[in-house]
Amino acid sequence: MPLIVISGIPCSGKTFTAKQLQKYFTKTKNVEAIVVSDNDLIANDANRVYERYRYELYCMSKESGNTHCVIECAVPKDEAWTRNERNGQSYSRKIFDELIDRYEAPDSRNRWDSPLFVVTPEHQLNFADVFEALFNRKAPPANQSTQSQPLSETNFLYQLNEETKSIVNHILKAQEMGAVKDIAIPKTSLKLTAERVFTSVELNKYRRQFITYTKQHPTKDKQLIPTLFVQYLNGIIE
């Protein structure tokens, strides 16, 4: 059964979007949403704040040989809070802010977040495009013992993404604590040898460059990712 994962911060319109999709598929395409059968559709609109949840859902969908897509309901934080207040304040301000801080937005460059459709207050969802992505696209093959390479590659890309993201966050936190030079990095004996403070924009730019390079020249040992990333950063910074 095709899978739709709907992602977004609290009060961004996930449930509303899920209901719209259900209405479209059942009334326009005669496809029963939420009901489990080979030709039906499952729409998941839970608070998918963590990227790893979307990754796990992608793997399950792939394993079962079905198509999937991700829809992000993207609204500004202030507008989401206004909706929360208008709806009787489902979340306290503290919980609301914590959920937003933990939210990891989908990235269409990741296989588990693709195809990605973004819904904003100014840009409504094109249901026909979603239908096309789910029902007129070949499903990825189920992983069997003789077909393990696609999943292994996906696992590598996921770990590459997570490890480098963790290192960037670690560096930013260390800088906030006053560290500038020889910042120790988890999972590697190497240190960041920079002698100045870097912005989040700079570090994430270097991170994207490293990911692009590593996709083209993957390492056989995934445990080396932190070391290779720090080497890359030190080489660029020098």
Side-chain angles (χ1 to χ4, degrees):
M1 65 199 74
L3 171 69
I4 299 174
V5 179
I6 304 177
S7 178
I9 64 175
C11 302
S12 58
K14 297 184 295 296
T15 300
F16 175 75
T17 299
K19 290 180 178 179
Q20 283 189 314
L21 283 165
Q22 182 185 40
K23 181 178 180 181
Y24 172 80
F25 279 104
T26 55
K27 293 189 175 181
T28 305
K29 296 299 183 180
N30 197 30
V31 176
E32 187 68 25
I34 309 302
V35 177
V36 178
S37 71
D38 288 345
N39 296 315
D40 291 341
L41 175 78
I42 290 181
N44 188 319
D45 72 330
N47 273 319
R48 295 295 165 192
V49 295
Y50 292 123
E51 183 178 3
R52 66 174 179 269
Y53 292 152
R54 298 194 302 271
Y55 170 73
E56 290 168 1
L57 288 171
Y58 164 79
C59 288
M60 288 188 287
S61 177
K62 178 181 174 68
E63 188 67 27
S64 61
N66 289 298
T67 55
H68 108 299
C69 72
V70 176
I71 298 173
E72 182 186 17
C73 297
V75 301
K77 177 180 177 179
D78 290 342
E79 181 171 341
W81 175 251
T82 299
R83 293 180 182 180
N84 180 58
E85 291 185 311
R86 189 167 58 237
N87 295 334
Q89 203 160 354
S90 302
Y91 301 93
S92 67
R93 187 75 212 200
K94 181 176 183 296
I95 297 298
F96 180 84
D97 289 339
E98 287 178 352
L99 287 172
I100 288 182
D101 288 341
R102 290 160 48 197
Y103 179 63
E104 296 175 347
D107 185 339
S108 61
R109 292 171 296 185
N110 297 327
R111 292 186 181 184
W112 50 93
D113 287 334
S114 180
L116 173 64
F117 301 93
V118 179
V119 185
T120 69
E122 298 79 24
H123 180 76
Q124 297 303 305
L125 184 63
N126 187 317
F127 300 118
D129 287 347
V130 175
F131 181 86
E132 183 78 16
L134 294 175
F135 292 97
N136 294 330
R137 181 170 62 93
K138 186 178 179 180
N143 289 311
Q144 300 174 358
S145 58
T146 57
Q147 299 174 317
S148 60
Q149 183 59 34
L151 183 58
S152 297
E153 182 180 353
T154 300
N155 285 337
F156 172 76
L157 294 178
Y158 178 74
Q159 186 167 346
L160 175 65
N161 184 66
E162 290 297 296
E163 294 279 11
T164 53
K165 182 192 300 181
S166 176
I167 290 174
V168 166
N169 290 336
H170 177 82
I171 293 171
L172 292 173
K173 288 181 180 179
Q175 290 181 159
E176 289 177 0
M177 299 296 292
V180 176
K181 185 180 180 181
D182 293 332
I183 298 176
I185 306 297
K187 299 183 181 181
T188 177
S189 60
L190 294 184
K191 296 181 179 181
L192 185 69
T193 57
E195 296 186 8
R196 68 178 180 88
V197 173
F198 291 90
T199 66
S200 174
V201 173
E202 285 180 294
L203 288 174
N204 279 296
K205 180 184 73 173
Y206 297 146
R207 173 176 170 266
R208 289 192 296 270
Q209 291 173 352
F210 175 76
I211 288 176
T212 299
Y213 174 83
T214 308
K215 284 180 179 178
Q216 298 170 349
H217 307 85
T219 175
K220 294 182 179 180
D221 186 355
K222 291 184 287 187
Q223 303 303 317
L224 290 177
I225 291 175
T227 298
L228 294 173
F229 185 40
V230 176
Q231 285 179 343
Y232 183 83
L233 290 175
N234 286 335
I236 288 179
I237 291 167
E238 290 178 354

